[in-house]
């Protein structure tokens, strides 16, 4: 191909280059080549430049489109193309006078540019705005206005021009054409364009939230009112003027805003300027505005303007033909968003109006404009105008906007839910029509000539006869189910996605069928009360889950039937996929529940094998449905309906097997008979439609009738199938919705059939028959839907009470307002008598039907009381009517009315309460079902969820909800089984209220996860389930609140009943244990139950502390709440205690555990009873004292219960052993040592090493099994005993009494530190999740090591440097535990503080290591020892910083679960408690120096101040008044005891023994206050939820931990090597080993610093974002 030679002019620098291109080169590639070859063309961004083909007329130049080729523009050799910037500045003026300069693309049309311009200004609905080119006078003369032909205007045309100017019509405005560019319309760069609203479509939505559009609307409305475009009355004009004054001048000021202040031309239309009192009237309106803001005033102004009849109308002055005369008269033609109107040009009254929907077409010529209204008007409407094109554009613009809005509305969300995520896929399936289909057939070839004249032959049978006449009308024939697979049209992407969903679902269904071959294997269960309750609860939960899952399966099946009803082209395949996903995911979950239930079922209900068989039948039916709805199956529609019906039958059979078939057979029979009645009525309609089709002359209309009748028959058969599917589960709202949806389809098809018949014939008789048949269908359909709707209210005979009660309450309220009107009072009395009569009759009929005679008597007594009250009320009303002025009669009437109200409330109370509880039962059941569905949808969406963090949050919230569903189900079952039991009702209310919070969190997590789910069907299912759950929770919240109000404050009694039941269960378990029949429940292990018991014991203690506080303050509501929480915690404690007893192999331990747990229950029952008594007399000191005593007893029982846990007794024995051994230190004088000093010293060193190692084993054992801790604590106590003996032996070596006392003091410290270590280990093993417990244990272990080191330093006389090395090794061994699984914060350091700490400590370590090496060489051993000590401290600091950094890295990983901030930080309180206790110990320690005492006092003051501040903040944040007061009171106690301690320290400055005892006494109240406060804040209501480190987070920690471990190991080796060098510095091989260790330490620290820096939180995300941005930049600018 010949190359094309073009001149390229780089416009910004006027450089011209001749370049050759292939004609087929794309414009985009040509621009790229120009930028590469021409240096001058490389300025700016490539995307801002393009090629421009200029012309002599600037308007005719064109921009070359990037996607076109050069030969498209028919360029020739030598043509000049300009390479220049497409962007140009354009000035845009607003109506308020402000001017904005916007950069626009010169190659884009006005319509495209308006998007840019409006978005820069802040306008969203850009399609309603346009630009006006403000012409100068010269242009105006050249332009052709309305009806302007040439310069020789006739007289009447001059009048028209004047009239036009007076009326301010829209043809004065020179609107720019949206389909052309600025340049094509002659808009210069320096020209300013006016932005103005052209289409008034969505301006009703503009309010104060959109100040930009509001201002533009205000200015436009103001100008139109002032120039007379909108005619207004004088009153309205003044009202507008008042608002305008408020906008311009702010609120009215009397002394300033007086007549003469305003320029009336700017505030009133010209016809009212000279009217008397106008300005005064405006100021009056201005004053009425009050303190209204400018925005509010603009809103009012625009709102008032919208009420004008001419608002939003674009007027054009035209001439129309006068009726009956051949004369043209002026008329205004108005265009609005809804209609076209003829308007009187003088009064602007609407003469005629046509909706835009009736406009069939329109036509514009240079001198006229014509509208065609099709069937809505006989003739066209034509007017004379030269603005036809402008009118045409306006109508077209409105219609475009309407269609666009309608289209977006049709696609809006899921069922109009604004919060739901909209997943949209652009799918454009094409409908194929098979004209003829032939199959290959073999036959005999025949020869013949077809060239013979005037003979037509077929070539096989010779000449045939033919007829001449009119051609018959085309006939339509549809062949179904015979298409060859090879002839099928290709699947669309939506159908392919559905096929993928079906295949996945088929696998899931097959897996479920395979699973349903055998029941679950359950371990042997005991026969005690707890085991029986567990079995019953599991049966109830399984039944509920299976029922809700069957509901979802039938609803999904019905949805598939409804969605696949129409033309495949119009089918929403994503919704079909969603329904199929719902079916398969629920079937998978259902199979698990069925297997468990089959294992638990008794033979009385039905055998497990029958249940499995029913479930397999349902799974098989689902499998058949999936095959039938495959887009490639080609199955006839009837197959789908049949299979759907079989799913309904299988569902009903499955529900019968589990005893959950709620709907009686009679109801189902009626439902099916009503559905068949609809089908029969539809069949009759089809026959009548067929009669119409036979007489129809137009074949097209005939075919339309046949198609409509066929669709009608199909939709009714669909309805019957749908009814079959959902009839067993019609109690479910989603199933009712699907049946109603099928009914709507029938209704629409009937309407379409009737319309088709009306269009096809005018025969009144036939149409009458069709209409009658359609009415029968509609009536049958209404009967069916009414029957469905009535189901929800079935079983509620109390509804009749409502109306009568409401009437009585209303009439007794309003009878006083009728005072003086005798007739009205008598009428009201009659209404009242009738209402009470109805209520009394209802109560009597209920009394007769009541089985319980006691209840029957109560009802009859209430009815009699109500009848007597009514009689008194009627009598009093008569008396007041006869004597309206008599005050005694009025008073009697008031008393009678009040008495009647009281009697009515008493009479209807039980019925109303029953209704409220019934509503709560339904709401709880629906919420539990919706939650089950959401969990199933979450599990199904997990596979395609791209965001791990969102998925994990959803999984966690699902787990929380799954834990609460059983409690809710048990509450419903209990309330239904014991309808009159207040305790059962309260249990339901409590479980409902507890369920709300986790349920709401799951809704939020599910909604957040929807956008991250890749599978559209799964995302839609999750979104729908979350929406249903949110609705169910809202209903549950309302129902539980009303039920709580109706049932009254019964929490304390309910809690007492619960605790009593738990006590009986434990007694029953004890009896089973004595018989050897106590078995653990499925899922229970010794470790799990022990851990549950430990953590729950703290929850029980905390809730009891709350109970005491609330009871002491006399707050009944919060006492009830605390009692409920206590009972709930005790329930968990009892279950855990039973589990421990059942799992342990030691019968004595089992009996001890059950006895101690029963003691806790007894004490708790007494405590709750005492709290109830204390509420009667809140200030009674005696009751408070009893409360405190009972609380102490319960606390003691709780401790005994915890001590019965495996391993705890061993720890207690070890503690006791340490205590017994420590008594050796209390003797007056120690015997002198019998061993040589070196031997005693060696034994002490060995014992110290053993004890330090045992301490590390104790710490390690807390993370293992309970047996490990028992072994480790036993070994620790033995090693302690040996160490103590060695220490006492060394004390005997002491030369002076003072030295001996010092050794004994150190041994006492070690004894105390050892006891603390075991206590911390015990606490952590009981409750591993306790805040700061791990850190407390690590601190206790370090305290043991430090106290051992102090003793070794004091006692031993080794070579210099040896003790320091041994001490350092012990310290390093202890801190190594910090690096084991750092899943909680070590200190308060931030990440960058950790880096800084590592840097500082590494610097210190480097210097001290150099010092170790140098001083070992020179033999300066004291300095050597100091360097070892400094190095040890630096290594401890490095380890602590590394552990904290590792924790922060793990927590900040996106996959880790973030913690939640609570009211208080329990770790802060625990650390403060520890620090205060340590400081108080230092205060009273005889060995503490004055500076140490002052330092300890400072620490106490610092931490108590922080605690008081935290209490103050917590008190201000909490809404709980009891907690608020308790926080304040606790802060006061802590502050007062601190002040008292500081005062004691200051008063006694000599630190004698006596003064230290006084300090000891002063510290006791402080320690007690702080401990009480720490216990109070550990309540779950206040504490934060700690972060959970994910597996990915743990992996991210590993580089830091590995480096730190390497550093510690190599440092230990280095210190050991240095210790030998200090004795023998001449060994070269040892020096070589030291250098190797030194190098390893240096490398590991470097690695540690690098790891910490690389793993900085957010680093990976930032790097990922940078890479993503760089990729985007490369994509946008490939050059």
């Amino acid at each position: 191909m010949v190359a094309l030679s073009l001149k390229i002019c780089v416009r910004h620098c006027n450089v011209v280059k001749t370049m050759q291109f292939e004609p087929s080169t794309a414009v985009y590639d040509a621009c790229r080549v120009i930028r590469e070859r021409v240096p001058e063309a490389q300025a700016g961004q490539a995307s801002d430049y393009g090629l421009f083909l200029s012309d002599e007329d600037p308007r005719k130049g064109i921009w070359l489109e990037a996607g076109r080729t050069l030969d498209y523009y028919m360029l020739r050799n030598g043509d000049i193309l300009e390479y220049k910037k497409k962007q140009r500045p354009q000035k845009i003026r607003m109506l308020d006078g402000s001017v904005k300069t916007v950069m626009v693309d010169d190659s884009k049309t006005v319509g495209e540019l308006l998007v840019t311009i409006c978005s820069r200004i802040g306008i969203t609905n850009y399609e309603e705005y346009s630009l006006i080119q403000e012409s100068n006078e010269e242009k105006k003369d050249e332009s052709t206005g309305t009806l302007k032909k040439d310069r020789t205007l006739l007289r009447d045309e001059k009048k028209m021009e004047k009239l036009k100017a007076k009326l301010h019509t829209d043809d004065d405005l020179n609107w720019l054409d949206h389909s052309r560019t600025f340049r094509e319309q002659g808009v210069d760069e320096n020209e300013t364009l006016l932005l103005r609203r052209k289409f008034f479509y969505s301006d009703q939505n503009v309010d104060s939230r959109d100040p930009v559009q509001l201002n533009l609307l205000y200015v436009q409305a103001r100008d139109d009112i002032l120039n007379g475009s909108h005619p207004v009355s004088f009153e309205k004009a003044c009202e507008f003027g008042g608002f305008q004054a408020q906008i311009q001048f702010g609120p009215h000021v009397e002394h300033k805003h007086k007549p003469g202040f305003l320029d009336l031309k700017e505030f009133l239309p010209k016809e009212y300027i000279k009217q008397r009192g106008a300005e005064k009237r405006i100021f009056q309106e201005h004053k009425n505005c009050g303190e209204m803001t400018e925005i509010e005033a603009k809103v009012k102004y625009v709102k008032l303007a919208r009420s004008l009849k001419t608002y939003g109308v674009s007027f054009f002055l035209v001439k129309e033909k006068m009726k009956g005369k051949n004369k043209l008269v002026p008329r205004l033609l108005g265009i609005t968003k809804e209609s076209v109107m003829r308007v009187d040009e003088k009064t602007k009254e609407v003469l005629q109006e046509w909706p835009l929907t009736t406009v069939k077409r329109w036509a514009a010529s240079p001198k006229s404009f014509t509208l065609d209204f099709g069937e809505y008007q006989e003739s066209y409407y034509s007017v004379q105008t030269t603005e036809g094109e402008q009118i045409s554009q306006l109508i077209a613009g409105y219609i475009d906007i309407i269609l666009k809005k309608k289209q977006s509305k049709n696609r809006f969300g899921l069922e109009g839910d604004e919060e739901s995520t909209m997943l949209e896929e652009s799918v454009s399936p094409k409908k194929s029509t098979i004209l003829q289909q032939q199959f290959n057939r073999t036959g005999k070839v025949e020869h013949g000539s077809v060239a013979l004249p005037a003979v037509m032959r077929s070539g096989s049978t010779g000449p045939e006869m033919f007829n001449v006449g009119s051609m018959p009308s085309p006939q339509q024939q549809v062949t179904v189910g015979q298409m060859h697979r090879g002839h099928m049209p290709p699947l669309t992407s939506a159908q392919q996605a559905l096929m993928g969903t079906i295949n996945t679902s088929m696998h899931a269904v097959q897996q479920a069928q395979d699973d349903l071959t055998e029941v679950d294997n359950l371990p042997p269960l005991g026969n005690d009360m707890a085991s029986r309750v567990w079995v019953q609860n599991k049966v109830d939960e399984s039944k509920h889950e299976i029922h809700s899952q069957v509901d979802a399966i039938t609803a999904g099946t019905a949805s598939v039937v409804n969605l696949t009803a129409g033309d495949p082209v119009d089918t929403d395949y994503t919704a079909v996929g969603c329904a199929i996903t719902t079916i398969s995911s629920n079937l998978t979950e259902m199979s698990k529940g069925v297997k468990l239930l089959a294992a638990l079922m008794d033979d009385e209900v039905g055998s497990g094998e029958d249940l499995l068989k029913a479930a397999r039948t349902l799974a098989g039916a689902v499998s058949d449905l999936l095959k039938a709805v495959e887009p490639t199956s080609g199955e006839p529609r009837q197959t789908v309906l049949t299979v759907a019906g079989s799913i309904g039958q299988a569902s009903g059979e499955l529900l019968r097997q589990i005893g959950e078939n709620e709907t009686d057979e009679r109801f189902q029979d009626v439902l099916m008979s009503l559905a068949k009645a609809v089908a029969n009525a539809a069949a009759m309609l089809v026959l009548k439609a067929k009669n119409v089709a036979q007489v129809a002359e137009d074949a097209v209309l005939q075919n339309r009738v046949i198609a409509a009748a066929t669709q009608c028959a199909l939709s009714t058969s669909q309805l019957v199938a749908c009814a079959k599917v959902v009839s067993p589960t019609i109690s479910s709202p989603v199933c009712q919705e699907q049946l109603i949806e099928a009914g709507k389809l029938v209704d629409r098809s009937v309407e379409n059939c009737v319309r088709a018949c009306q269009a096809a014939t005018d025969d009144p008789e036939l149409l009458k028959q069709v209409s009658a048949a359609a009415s029968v269908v509609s009536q049958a359909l209404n009967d069916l839907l009414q029957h469905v709707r009535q189901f929800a209210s079935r079983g509620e005979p109390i509804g009749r009470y409502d109306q009568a009660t409401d009437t009585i309450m209303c009439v007794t309220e309003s009878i006083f307002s009728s005072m003086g009107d005798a007739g009205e009072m008598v009428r009201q009395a009659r209404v009242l008598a009738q209402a009470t009569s109805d209520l009394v009759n209802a109560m009597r009929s209920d009394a007769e039907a009541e089985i319980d005679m006691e209840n029957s008597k109560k009802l009859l007594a209430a009815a009699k009381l109500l009848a007597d009250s009514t009689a008194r009320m009627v009598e009093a009303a008569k008396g007041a009517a006869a004597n309206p002025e008599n005050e005694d009669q009025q008073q009697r009437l008031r008393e009678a009315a009040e008495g009647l109200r009281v009697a009515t409330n008493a009479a209807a109370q039980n019925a109303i309460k029953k209704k409220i509880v019934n509503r709560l039962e339904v709401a709880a059941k629906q919420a539990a079902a919706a939650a089950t569905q959401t969990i199933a949808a979450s599990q199904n969406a997990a596979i395609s969820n791209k965001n791990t963090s969102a998925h994990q949050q959803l999984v966690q919230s699902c787990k929380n909800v799954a834990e609460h569903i059983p409690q809710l189900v048990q509450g419903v079952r209990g309330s239904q089984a014991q309808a009159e039991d207040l305790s059962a009702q309260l249990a339901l209310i409590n479980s409902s209220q507890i369920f709300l919070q986790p349920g709401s969190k799951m809704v939020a997590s599910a909604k957040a996860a929807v956008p991250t789910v890749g599978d559209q069907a799964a995302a839609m299912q999750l979104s729908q389930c979350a929406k249903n759950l949110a609705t169910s929770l809202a209903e549950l919240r309302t129902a539980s609140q009303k039920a709580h109000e109706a049932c009254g404050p019964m929490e304390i009694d309910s809690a007492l009943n619960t605790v009593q039941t738990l006590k009986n269960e434990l007694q029953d378990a004890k009896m089973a244990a004595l018989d050897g029949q106590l078995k653990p429940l499925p899922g229970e292990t010794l470790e799990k139950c022990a851990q549950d018991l430990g953590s729950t014991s703290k929850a029980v203690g905390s809730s009891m502390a709350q109970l005491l506080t609330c009871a002491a303050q006399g707050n009944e509501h919060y006492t009830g709440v605390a009692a409920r929480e206590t009972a709930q915690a005790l329930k968990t404690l009892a279950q855990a205690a039973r589990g421990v007893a059942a799992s342990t192999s030691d019968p004595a331990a089992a009996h001890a555990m059950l006895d101690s747990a029963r003691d806790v229950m007894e004490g708790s029952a007494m405590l709750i009873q005492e709290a109830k008594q204390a509420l009667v007399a809140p200030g009674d000191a005696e009751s408070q004292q009893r409360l405190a005593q009972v609380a102490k007893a319960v606390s003691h029982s709780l401790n005994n219960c915890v001590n019965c846990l495996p391993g705890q007794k061993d720890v207690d024995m070890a503690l006791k052993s340490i205590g017994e051994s420590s008594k050796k230190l209390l003797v007056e004088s120690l015997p002198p040592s019998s061993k040589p000093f070196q031997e005693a010293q060696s034994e002490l060193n060995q014992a110290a090493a053993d004890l330090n190692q045992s301490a590390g084993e104790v710490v390690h054992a807390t993370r293992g099994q309970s047996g490990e801790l028992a072994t480790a604590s036993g070994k620790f106590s033995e090693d302690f005993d040996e160490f103590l003996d060695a220490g006492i032996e060394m004390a005997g070596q002491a030369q002076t009494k003072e030295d001996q006392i010092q050794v004994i003091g150190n041994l006492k410290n070690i004894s105390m530190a050892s006891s603390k270590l075991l206590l911390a280990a015990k606490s952590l093993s009981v409750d591993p999740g306790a805040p700061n417990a791990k850190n407390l244990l690590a601190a206790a272990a370090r305290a043991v090591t430090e106290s051992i080191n102090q003793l070794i330093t004091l006692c031993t006389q080794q070579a210099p440097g040896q003790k320091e090395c041994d001490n350092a090794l012990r310290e390093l061994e202890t801190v190594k535990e910090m690096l084991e699984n750092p899943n909680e914060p070590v200190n308060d350091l931030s990440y960058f503080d950790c880096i800084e700490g590592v840097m500082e400590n590494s610097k210190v370590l480097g210097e001290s290591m150099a010092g170790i090496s140098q001083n070992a060489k020179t033999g300066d051993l004291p300095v050597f020892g100091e360097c070892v000590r400094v190095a040890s401290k630096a290594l401890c600091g490095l380890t602590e910083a590394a552990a904290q950094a590792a924790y922060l890295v793990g927590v900040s990983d996106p996959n880790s679960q973030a913690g939640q901030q609570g009211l208080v930080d329990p770790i802060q309180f625990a650390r403060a408690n520890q620090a205060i206790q340590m400081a108080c110990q230092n205060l009273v320690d005889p060995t503490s120096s004055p500076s140490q005492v002052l330092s300890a006092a400072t620490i106490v003051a610092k931490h108590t101040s922080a605690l008081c501040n935290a209490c103050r903040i917590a008190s201000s944040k909490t809404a709980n008044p009891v907690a608020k007061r308790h926080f304040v009171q606790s802060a006061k106690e802590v502050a007062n005891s601190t002040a008292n301690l500081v005062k004691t320290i200051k008063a006694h400055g000599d630190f004698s023994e006596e003064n230290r005892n006084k300090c000891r006494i002063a510290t006791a109240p402080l320690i007690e206050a702080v401990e009480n406060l720490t216990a109070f804040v550990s309540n779950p209501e206040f504490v934060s939820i700690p972060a959970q480190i994910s597996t990915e987070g743990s992996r991210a920690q590993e580089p830091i931990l590995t480096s730190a471990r390497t550093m510690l190991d190599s440092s230990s080796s280095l210190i050991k090597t240095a210790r030998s060098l200090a004795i023998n510095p001449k060994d070269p091989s040892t020096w070589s080993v030291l250098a190797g260790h030194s190098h390893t330490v240096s490398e590991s620290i470097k690695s540690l610093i690098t790891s910490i820096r690389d793993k900085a939180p957010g680093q990976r995300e930032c790097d990922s974002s940078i890479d993503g941005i760089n990729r985007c930049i490369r994509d946008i600018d490939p050059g």
Side-chain angles (χ1 to χ4, degrees), residues 128-147:
E128 298 180 35
Y129 284 80
S130 190
L131 295 166
I132 295 172
Q133 190 173 14
E134 297 180 294
S135 311
N136 53 31
E137 290 303 317
E138 185 181 337
K139 282 187 180 178
K140 277 188 180 179
D141 290 341
E142 291 172 2
S143 66
T144 57
T146 301
L147 303 176

Side-chain angles (χ1 to χ4, degrees), residues 1313-1567:
S1314 299
S1315 298
K1316 282 188 177 178
L1317 173 67
L1318 289 179
L1319 286 169
K1322 181 181 175 183
S1323 176
L1324 182 64
S1325 68
V1326 167
D1327 185 11
N1332 211 38
K1334 189 178 171 186
N1335 290 339
L1336 288 175
L1337 179 63
R1342 288 175 75 174
V1344 170
T1345 303
E1346 285 170 7
S1347 56
I1348 291 173
N1349 288 348
Q1350 285 174 5
L1351 181 68
I1352 297 294
T1353 304
L1354 178 69
C1355 294
T1356 59
Q1357 294 179 355
Q1358 297 172 330
Q1362 297 300 297
K1363 288 184 289 189
E1364 287 82 354
C1365 287
D1366 290 341
N1367 290 350
L1369 288 169
R1370 277 190 288 272
E1371 284 181 349
L1372 297 185
E1373 189 64 32
T1374 306
V1375 297
K1376 190 184 276 190
E1377 283 295 327
M1378 283 187 181
L1379 302 174
E1380 296 299 323
N1381 191 21
N1383 55 5
E1384 63 179 53
V1386 178
N1387 48 43
D1388 293 326
L1389 294 181
S1390 69
Y1391 198 80
F1392 297 104
D1393 290 339
C1394 291
I1395 294 175
E1396 196 174 326
V1398 168
M1399 297 297 289
E1400 286 177 4
N1401 281 308
S1402 62
K1403 187 178 176 185
V1404 171
L1405 181 61
E1407 291 171 357
S1408 55
M1409 280 169 58
I1412 289 170
S1413 177
Q1414 181 65 31
N1415 291 305
K1417 271 183 187 175
T1418 58
D1420 192 350
L1421 296 182
V1423 180
F1424 169 84
E1426 180 60 23
C1427 288
V1428 170
R1429 191 186 64 76
V1430 171
S1432 173
K1433 296 299 178 194
L1435 283 164
C1436 290
L1438 277 166
T1439 307
E1440 193 172 313
Q1444 175 71 0
Y1447 165 76
L1448 294 173
V1449 165
V1451 164
S1452 63
D1453 188 273
N1455 299 306
S1456 294
Q1457 188 181 341
Q1460 293 178 8
Q1461 186 66 38
L1463 195 65
V1464 292
D1465 182 3
I1467 292 179
Q1468 179 196 359
F1469 279 76
R1471 282 187 189 151
N1473 187 8
Q1474 180 194 8
I1476 290 168
Q1477 289 202 21
M1478 293 294 291
C1480 288
Q1481 186 181 328
N1482 290 338
L1483 278 173
V1484 298
D1485 189 352
T1487 61
S1488 297
S1489 64
S1491 62
Q1492 287 175 322
V1493 169
L1494 289 174
S1495 173
T1498 306
I1499 289 170
V1500 168
K1502 172 189 165 189
H1503 285 286
T1504 52
S1505 172
L1507 286 183
C1508 292
N1509 193 40
C1511 286
R1512 183 181 57 78
I1513 293 168
S1515 173
S1516 65
K1517 283 183 179 178
T1518 183
N1520 183 336
V1522 175
K1524 194 182 282 284
R1525 287 176 63 184
H1526 192 99
F1527 276 123
V1528 172
Q1529 191 61 36
S1530 298
K1532 282 181 182 175
E1533 288 176 10
V1534 171
N1536 291 339
S1537 50
T1538 305
N1540 188 34
L1541 176 61
V1542 172
K1543 187 178 175 184
T1544 306
I1545 294 169
K1546 285 182 177 177
H1548 309 286
D1550 57 353
F1551 304 112
S1552 63
E1553 187 63 33
E1554 182 187 351
N1555 293 338
R1556 287 187 190 275
N1557 280 334
K1558 287 180 180 177
C1559 284
R1560 183 180 288 107
I1561 294 166
T1563 58
L1566 174 62
I1567 291 171

